[in-house]
Amino acid sequence: ELKIMEEKLTYDRFIACHRNQSNPKDLPEHALTFAYGDWKYDKMAHQLHGEDHILRKKVLIEINEDFHRADYVVLSLKFPLLKELVACCKEKDDVRRELASAAVMKVAGTEEGRQKIIDENYLKDIAILLRDQVTKIRENAYRAFISTAEYRAGYEAVVKNELLPLLVDLLKEEKENEIISLALSLLKFLCEAESSSDILLKTKVLERLNEHLKSSDLNVRCMAALNICSLSFKVKGKKDIILSGTIPILCKLVKETNEELLINVTKALASLANKKRGKVEIIEGDIFDEIKKLLKSPCSQIRLNIVQLISNIGEHTKIKENLKECLPILNEMEANDTEIIKRFAKVAIGVITWKPQSSISHLSLIHISEPTRPERISYAVFCLKKKKQI
């Protein structure tokens, strides 16, 4: 056992220390931990700042091993180690740069690390890595951004550093599907942020998303549709998405079979159907057969999305009669489905079967506005106009 322990120890004095003990105790595997205790990360920072390339590589490997534990990451933040790691991300050597980027990614995975990255303005330095020639380094950089942008302080820092246009441009530049999926995951958090969605809509984000909706990679299509959902939350987002020609692409995707993709696509269509032009384009997309089929989907979220879609397009005269074929299924859903689907099924039935009362028979329904807010209890305006006398 002593021999095995000696093989783990780096310095001769470690071995001597053990041999001088009658009952040797376990000591740290790393020499710096033994010699410096908590201050080893200060020593590592100085070593990374030095000119010994071999030593810097060894230190980076040890840091990555340590950083599998979040408490070690937090401990390291007391010293200037993060600054030196960011500096190492700019090295010409691919291996050291990759090791440094991996360590920075692990720092961003902790609350204290994220805040340090924001406070010390390291986001722009990390953003440089998003164009690195090494795929793994780009992956590490995106994961660091995702960990940061999940939280309000993080996405606000991305906006403050004016990084949104860069992130949108990278959606076109990136060729690796796995990295594109990460880029779209990052974009999702930014799309949902109130402070950034308006800025994104001023870029070519919708053009990029439409391209990725046509991707041969399933995960890329899923993430692109999810981003469309997030951007369609606001009225301006709905209008811009419709004008960008997204609905015909979504209507084609409704015919696919992947559950996650269908959840995102049907949710986006239900949202866009709140606008008059959106209703028309969805109806012209000829997806009535898919609507009937998806009403029986085993996935409750897909059923809910389809029922909401029917509620939004059912007022249009071009589809109203066709949708009456869905009434038996909707009646069954109102009776036996989940509580939220029951409520929306009731609304859909009401829209499809609505007829003007005799006292207002001279009026016709032309539009139902979108709900006042995205809550279960909200209000909508019914618009009527006088029928022309022939």
Side-chain angles (χ1 to χ4, degrees), residues 173-208:
E173 294 177 22
E174 182 58 59
K175 303 304 179 185
E176 298 283 342
N177 284 327
E178 289 185 9
I179 308 298
I180 292 173
S181 294
L182 288 174
L184 291 170
S185 297
L186 170 60
L187 190 66
K188 171 186 172 290
F189 293 114
L190 300 172
C191 288
E192 293 174 349
E194 187 173 351
S195 58
S196 58
S197 59
D198 291 339
I199 300 173
L200 281 170
L201 289 170
K202 294 177 183 178
T203 68
K204 293 184 177 181
V205 66
L206 294 177
E207 179 182 332
R208 304 286 182 259

Side-chain angles (χ1 to χ4, degrees), residues 346-361:
K346 183 176 181 179
V347 173
I349 292 168
V351 171
I352 296 172
T353 59
W354 184 86
K355 292 181 180 179
Q357 299 296 321
S358 57
S359 59
I360 57 169
S361 58

Side-chain angles (χ1 to χ4, degrees), residues 284-337:
E284 290 176 349
D286 192 24
I287 59 170
F288 177 65
D289 290 339
E290 282 69 32
I291 288 176
K292 286 195 299 182
K293 179 181 177 181
L294 293 175
L295 273 176
K296 299 178 180 179
S297 170
C299 174
S300 61
Q301 185 61 59
I302 292 176
R303 296 199 305 275
L304 175 61
N305 295 341
I306 291 296
V307 170
Q308 290 176 319
L309 175 61
I310 291 173
S311 299
N312 290 332
I313 65 174
E315 64 189 66
H316 203 288
T317 54
K318 287 185 177 181
I319 195 72
K320 197 179 188 75
E321 287 301 315
N322 288 341
L323 289 177
K324 288 182 178 178
E325 295 179 23
C326 300
L327 285 174
I329 305 174
L330 289 170
N331 286 324
E332 183 179 345
M333 295 171 80
E334 185 187 8
N336 301 316
D337 218 310

Side-chain angles (χ1 to χ4, degrees), residues 208-258:
R208 304 286 182 259
L209 291 175
N210 284 347
E211 291 170 359
H212 290 310
L213 284 173
K214 302 173 185 176
S215 170
S216 60
D217 186 87
L218 174 60
N219 195 45
V220 171
R221 297 199 301 278
C222 286
M223 292 306 304
L226 186 57
N227 276 277
I228 293 293
C229 291
S230 299
L231 286 172
S232 71
F233 179 78
K234 290 186 176 181
V235 174
K236 177 172 172 48
K238 289 181 176 65
K239 291 179 179 178
D240 289 354
I241 290 169
I242 293 169
L243 290 173
S244 73
T246 303
I247 289 180
I249 305 173
L250 293 174
C251 287
K252 290 181 180 179
L253 292 177
V254 171
K255 300 177 182 181
E256 296 206 22
T257 57
N258 179 265

Side-chain angles (χ1 to χ4, degrees), residues 8-50:
K8 292 184 177 180
L9 301 178
T10 308
Y11 296 154
D12 291 340
R13 61 196 180 97
F14 274 25
I15 299 173
C17 176
H18 271 261
R19 285 178 174 167
N20 289 333
Q21 296 182 65
S22 59
N23 184 23
K25 296 180 181 179
D26 289 344
L27 288 177
E29 286 188 24
H30 300 308
L32 286 175
T33 303
F34 177 82
Y36 294 93
D38 290 350
W39 284 85
K40 81 168 188 174
Y41 293 116
D42 185 57
K43 180 67 174 177
M44 285 178 163
H46 284 87
Q47 290 173 330
L48 288 178
H49 192 69

